[in-house]
Amino acid sequence: MIYLDNGATSFYKPPAVAAAVCRAMHRYANPGRGGYPAAMEAAREVFYCRELAASMFDCEPEQVVFTSNCTHGLNIAIHTLVKPGARVVISGFEHNAVTRPLYQRNAVVCVVGSQLFQPRQLLQELEQTLKAGVDAAVFTHVSNVFGYILPMEEIAALCRKYQVPLIVDAAQSAGMLPISLKKWDAAFIAMPGHKGLLGPQGTGILLCGMLPQPLLAGGTGTASQVQAMPEELPERLEAGTLNVPGISGLAAGMREVRQQGLSRILKKEKAAAAQCAHILQKFDFQVFCGEGQSGTVSFVPPMDCETMAQELARRGIAVRAGLHCAPLAHQSAGTLQTGTVRVSFGHDADFSQNLALEREIRRILKKSNKKIYETPLPS
């Protein structure tokens, strides 16, 4: 299988990730619940992963909280900052992991920057909205549908200027773009462990720039006589038993990312996405591409998007079709009725994947009697 759905999860995982998960299940017990070797080894592994994340994302180890996924972290952040009826500013490209929790909080949502690959417009609209007054800002770092990289440093600077707390959804950027809790001075940054960080599914990280309100209450292995959740991080948010095998695998994935280097990964993904866009433009497709794009490209073929994705799947190429859990992004781009087919590259991106994609699309179009528009492929 040629896997081009890294926006959903990274696959295939580095062999070291599976080895770390297996080792944890054979060697580690419950961290913080005993002084015997298996429990102590587990605690050391968890803290090691916390230190590794802190060094990667420019924060202190205690500010690294382990979650079950990025959505879990975003819910904690929104639960903390957004009171019922609060005014919140977001981009036009947010995922349901942002919009649904805001809906649950009955927030008044102000949408800015709904044009693809237009960061200046986004910043102008954001400043106007911040001047008018909002209680919080929630922004994706990279659109999961279109690969549009939002100008997060400038967004963070404006939020600091107007003293508005910022939540960053780093679902598509962690493991590809630099992220800094200190530099951005964000209230929270949420990310999955299973996408660009190459860890197992069921893992995530929430970076906490402020004291959060817990979503869950329960045992932490500390202060057992006190019924309130601890004030200290990370225990305040880590009720119950941690996913130690997952955390161990996440540490292995982050080591792989560090070994490859963010700049190298980004360069490979961007180059593959640019080549993919050129190939797709050879056909009668609507292709979404532009400056400031990551390793993700969406397109609308002259047939149903789900049909195209199914035909590619039958030919051993994995992509995703539909609304990608981000109807707001599709509304912004004008594809809410059709959806798109999304091609999302990962750390293993190379041109051979694009050649296979082009070959199979050509066969699908020929089978369906769709016209193929031949244009030279740029070198």
Side-chain angles (χ1 to χ4, degrees):
M1 178 177 65
I2 295 173
Y3 186 77
L4 298 174
D5 193 21
N6 288 276
T9 192
S10 56
F11 187 81
Y12 304 90
K13 306 290 185 185
V17 173
V21 171
C22 187
R23 182 177 66 250
M25 296 189 72
H26 283 89
R27 290 178 50 178
Y28 301 152
N30 203 334
R33 269 63 169 186
Y36 47 89
M40 297 300 290
E41 259 196 287
R44 282 191 290 270
E45 180 73 356
V46 168
F47 187 69
Y48 166 71
C49 187
R50 218 184 291 279
E51 285 187 312
L52 189 58
S55 68
M56 287 183 69
F57 305 122
D58 192 23
C59 63
E60 301 302 321
E62 60 269 19
Q63 293 176 294
V64 176
V65 170
F66 293 116
T67 59
S68 58
N69 47 50
C70 186
T71 298
H72 181 194
L74 287 168
N75 271 265
I76 293 171
I78 291 170
H79 173 73
T80 298
L81 283 179
V82 180
K83 307 308 176 190
R87 285 175 57 83
V88 182
V89 60
I90 66 174
S91 82
F93 298 94
E94 299 305 318
H95 191 277
N96 278 343
V98 168
T99 58
R100 282 179 171 171
L102 291 176
Y103 177 81
Q104 284 190 334
R105 305 295 280 174
N106 197 29
V108 177
V109 176
C110 309
V111 179
V112 300
S114 295
Q115 290 190 18
L116 268 173
F117 310 113
Q118 297 295 326
R120 292 300 108 193
Q121 182 212 38
L122 182 151
L123 294 172
Q124 290 170 3
E125 293 181 7
L126 174 59
E127 183 154 27
Q128 292 171 0
T129 304
L130 292 173
K131 282 181 180 177
V134 294
D135 299 300
V138 190
F139 281 87
T140 186
H141 195 180
V142 177
S143 166
N144 73 304
V145 181
F146 302 105
Y148 171 28
I149 302 173
L150 275 65
M152 194 53 64
E153 288 191 18
E154 292 89 342
I155 290 170
L158 283 174
C159 289
R160 287 195 302 272
K161 178 180 177 180
Y162 292 96
Q163 298 183 320
V164 173
L166 171 65
I167 300 170
V168 179
D169 174 2
Q172 301 294 324
S173 60
M176 179 186 66
L177 292 170
I179 292 171
S180 172
L181 184 66
K182 289 180 181 176
K183 187 174 182 180
W184 294 350
D185 194 24
F188 299 100
I189 302 175
M191 63 189 69
H194 67 97
K195 295 186 182 183
L197 297 180
L198 308 180
Q201 294 170 1
T203 60
I205 289 172
L206 180 65
L207 308 177
C208 298
M210 62 176 290
L211 192 68
Q213 291 297 320
L215 276 181
L216 298 175
T220 60
T222 61
S224 295
Q225 291 185 349
V226 179
Q227 290 304 289
M229 287 297 289
E231 292 293 315
E232 299 78 18
L233 287 171
E235 291 85 0
R236 182 169 178 80
L237 294 183
E238 294 180 349
T241 297
L242 291 172
N243 178 6
V244 178
I247 291 169
S248 187
L250 175 56
M254 288 194 291
R255 285 196 301 270
E256 178 70 22
V257 170
R258 292 187 69 165
Q259 182 177 348
Q260 288 196 30
L262 289 181
S263 60
R264 182 168 175 264
I265 291 172
L266 178 61
K267 183 178 180 180
K268 287 170 60 178
E269 292 190 16
K270 285 173 69 74
Q275 291 164 344
C276 180
H278 287 311
I279 287 170
L280 295 171
Q281 287 167 342
K282 296 171 68 175
F283 306 111
D284 188 20
F285 295 167
Q286 181 183 14
V287 182
F288 296 90
C289 56
E291 292 294 325
Q293 190 164 18
S294 66
T296 293
V297 180
S298 266
F299 68 96
V300 180
M303 62 175 66
D304 180 73
C305 288
E306 296 285 355
T307 299
M308 173 61 80
Q310 289 168 5
E311 288 293 328
L312 286 170
R314 287 180 57 244
R315 292 163 167 79
I317 297 180
V319 297
R320 183 177 176 185
L323 297 182
H324 315 95
C325 300
L328 180 59
H330 287 278
Q331 181 178 323
S332 295
T335 54
L336 188 59
Q337 298 306 312
T338 62
T340 61
V341 180
R342 183 185 70 183
V343 181
S344 49
F345 296 91
H347 69 289
D348 61 346
D350 65 62
F351 194 41
S352 67
Q353 296 169 332
N354 278 322
L355 293 177
L357 178 66
E358 179 183 19
R359 181 184 66 245
E360 298 308 327
I361 287 177
R362 188 177 299 278
R363 290 173 176 171
I364 292 167
L365 294 178
K366 184 177 180 180
K367 177 184 175 183
S368 61
N369 296 316
K370 299 293 184 182
K371 185 175 180 181
I372 301 173
Y373 289 80
E374 298 289 354
T375 56
L377 179 62
S379 58

